[in-house]
Amino acid sequence: MSDDDRPEPEDFAEMLRNLLGGQGGLAGLDPEQLEQLRGLGLDPAMVQQMMRQLQGAFAAGGDGSIDWSAARTQALHLANKDSHAIDSGVRADLDRAVSLATLWLSEATAISELPAPARAVTRGQWVESTLPVWQELAEPVATSIADALTEAIGTQLPEEMRAAAANAGRIMRTVGGSLFAAQLGSVVGALSLEVISGGDVGIPLMPDGEAALLPQNFADFGRDLEIDEDQLALYVATRELAHARLFRHARWLRLHVISQVTEFARGLRVDTDALEDMATRFDPSSPEELRDALQSGALLDTRSEAQVAALARLENLLATIEGWVDVVTADATHRLPDAHRIAEAVRRRRAVGGPAERAMGSLVGLELRPRRLREAAAMWRAVTDAVGATARDSLWDYPDLMPTAEDIDDPAALVERLQARERGESPARDAMDDALDALLAEATDERPGDGAGGDDDLPPEGPRPV
């Protein structure tokens, strides 16, 4: 395109006003303006779909915030496609399983019961309950990608037109964010076809104090196991109740988990080279390439050292939680003949993850699978055998009592501390204690002596001179 044929910035701004102002979309452009769009390498017919999105964003205010309604719409569309109402007989069977699981669980843990029993939910109800948490976890990544997409597409415009298009930048950001939200909805909707309970993914998705079972899904899960449905329902209900009880008891734990996930997500960086390369051939009417790149994680840059460290902390935290749930569930369901087989199937399922869970990992750059689950479960088993359930569960009372990664590596040291505490003995000193004492002693030595403000230099009590 020659310089003579290139539209002036004022003309380009007028086209944006026509397109974004809802004046008939492309019909609001005269033939000369349509030809100018072709001169920019944009097919007017191709632009039509993008314009509808832009007009919607413009009508909504176009403040640059991400509209998550696309996530909800897409997730519910997938969740409800093959879903069906829960049969009254199935619901009654689950209610009986939950009642018995509650009694068994109270024998295995000192953590108190939930205020309400676990409820049977459909896939769509699971989406409605958990989507707010998914949005909170995904928002840092969505913001990074939307900002980078806006910048990358902006660099493709001619220099003299960037100022004219500047006001549309926030709207383009909204469109990019909406595309990410739609992808999140697709993944959450697909997850609703896989999860068997509210806490199945391992993070606190359900509202505080709530537990949920998805009978349609765990019936599919148990079909290949050839295990009696009553046993399966009892095991799944016990595990779900244990997970929900823990997060309700340790109210700080929910924020602890979510903050670690979002801390990891905020550190993610977009691969700007890959994004700019995609922006050069971006087709707004056919955004499949961008959609695939979002879902595959191709736009996320290589993890930094800080990201690797944050991921290790998160994996240890999730493993500590899941390990406790495993041990408590095993103790509570020891009466079930096939409890061990079900437990092993659940562990394999958590270790591998389903297709939707893997897609979520690609979308937000995070796989929510505890890699040290067996080691953490072995730690909790050692603690339980040594000091009992009450002392074990007291480790969840405060954040600073919770076992660390070092405790997973060396459960014997944790057991020794707990046994010493039960005997009323002072805990064993370590290098940290010695270093703290040395620091305090040094500070005391540096304090001013006589005549420099010590206690002996305080004026005697009595009336102050006038």
Side-chain angles (χ1 to χ4, degrees):
M1 181 178 183
S2 66
D3 293 339
D4 293 338
D5 296 330
R6 193 182 300 277
E8 295 296 327
E10 295 79 6
D11 297 332
F12 188 74
E14 179 63 25
M15 281 189 284
L16 283 175
R17 282 193 291 272
N18 288 337
L19 289 168
L20 300 178
Q23 302 174 12
L26 293 176
L29 300 179
D30 60 38
E32 183 179 353
Q33 288 175 319
L34 290 174
E35 190 60 36
Q36 288 176 337
L37 279 176
R38 292 190 182 92
L40 288 172
L42 301 174
D43 180 3
M46 179 190 74
V47 174
Q48 183 69 66
Q49 182 176 348
M50 183 180 71
M51 288 306 104
R52 283 195 292 267
Q53 289 181 296
L54 289 174
Q55 288 172 357
F58 189 74
D63 60 357
S65 61
I66 296 174
D67 180 10
W68 291 104
S69 62
R72 181 178 182 275
T73 301
Q74 183 65 11
L76 289 176
H77 171 71
L78 294 175
N80 294 328
K81 184 182 298 183
D82 297 319
S83 185
H84 51 72
I86 301 172
D87 181 82
S88 58
V90 172
R91 193 181 295 275
D93 290 342
L94 283 178
D95 288 344
R96 285 191 290 271
V98 168
S99 297
L100 184 53
T102 300
L103 293 175
W104 287 359
L105 196 58
S106 294
E107 298 174 355
T109 177
I111 293 179
S112 60
E113 297 181 17
L114 298 175
R119 58 193 178 97
V121 299
T122 64
R123 293 164 173 172
Q125 289 171 328
W126 180 85
V127 166
E128 293 277 18
S129 296
T130 63
L131 194 56
V133 177
W134 287 122
Q135 292 174 7
E136 184 177 357
L137 300 182
E139 187 158 19
V141 183
T143 300
S144 295
I145 290 179
D147 289 344
L149 178 63
T150 302
E151 182 179 352
I153 292 179
T155 60
Q156 306 308 312
L157 288 174
E159 182 67 34
E160 64 270 23
M161 293 187 177
R162 291 178 188 173
N167 290 335
R170 68 182 187 276
I171 300 177
M172 281 302 299
R173 182 183 181 280
T174 300
V175 173
S178 296
L179 185 57
F180 182 93
Q183 290 307 295
L184 176 67
S186 296
V187 173
V188 173
L191 266 175
S192 73
L193 312 182
E194 297 179 6
V195 294
I196 59 178
S197 64
D200 193 23
V201 181
I203 56 177
L205 295 173
M206 297 295 295
D208 185 36
E210 291 190 18
L213 303 171
L214 285 78
Q216 183 176 358
N217 291 357
F218 75 68
D220 295 339
F221 166 66
R223 190 168 293 119
D224 295 335
L225 297 178
E226 298 180 353
I227 292 176
D228 181 74
E229 289 185 5
D230 291 340
Q231 289 195 54
L232 187 65
L234 267 169
Y235 188 93
V236 173
T238 303
R239 184 177 178 83
E240 171 65 4
L241 288 171
H243 191 270
R245 281 193 189 192
L246 175 60
F247 277 97
R248 182 174 183 272
H249 171 78
R251 296 185 181 275
W252 53 269
L253 188 57
R254 170 184 290 270
L255 178 61
H256 194 46
V257 172
I258 291 178
S259 63
Q260 287 211 19
V261 175
T262 52
E263 176 192 354
F264 174 87
R266 288 191 186 97
L268 289 173
R269 295 293 177 264
V270 176
D271 186 341
T272 54
D273 291 339
L275 194 59
E276 288 178 2
D277 178 64
M278 185 175 298
T280 61
R281 55 182 186 278
F282 179 61
D283 181 350
S285 68
S286 182
E288 286 78 11
E289 184 181 7
L290 178 57
R291 184 178 298 115
D292 292 343
L294 287 173
Q295 193 157 348
S296 67
L299 297 182
L300 299 180
D301 209 346
T302 305
R303 291 172 183 157
S304 65
E305 291 185 7
Q307 285 296 98
V308 173
L311 181 59
R313 290 193 297 271
L314 178 59
E315 287 177 343
N316 284 319
L317 174 61
L318 295 178
T320 304
I321 294 169
E322 290 285 293
W324 181 90
V325 171
D326 270 10
V327 168
V328 171
T329 302
D331 290 347
T333 58
H334 69 275
R335 300 177 181 88
L336 290 180
D338 291 316
H340 180 72
R341 288 181 57 205
I342 302 174
E344 188 58 33
V346 169
R347 275 193 291 268
R348 286 199 307 267
R349 187 170 175 272
R350 288 289 291 117
V352 176
E357 191 175 341
R358 290 193 290 273
M360 177 63 72
S362 297
L363 187 65
V364 301
L366 176 66
E367 294 179 354
L368 297 171
R369 296 195 290 276
R371 302 179 189 276
R372 304 185 68 194
L373 176 56
R374 290 186 184 273
E375 293 91 335
M379 175 198 69
W380 286 116
R381 174 55 64 200
V383 169
T384 305
D385 293 344
V387 298
T390 301
R392 175 201 66 200
D393 295 343
S394 68
L395 293 174
W396 295 109
D397 289 348
Y398 303 101
D400 55 346
L401 297 178
M402 192 184 75
T404 63
E406 290 73 21
D407 293 326
I408 297 177
D409 295 332
D410 182 17
L414 174 60
V415 168
E416 182 181 350
R417 294 199 304 272
L418 292 174
Q419 290 176 330
R421 188 176 71 178
E422 283 200 330
R423 295 191 299 266
E425 300 173 2
S426 299
R429 297 181 60 81
D430 57 18
M432 180 68 73
D433 295 320
D434 294 338
L436 181 59
D437 284 349
L439 184 63
L440 291 174
E442 182 181 347
T444 301
D445 292 341
E446 292 177 357
R447 185 177 297 170
D450 293 341
D455 290 344
D456 295 337
D457 297 317
L458 292 175
E461 295 184 2
R464 301 178 63 181
V466 177

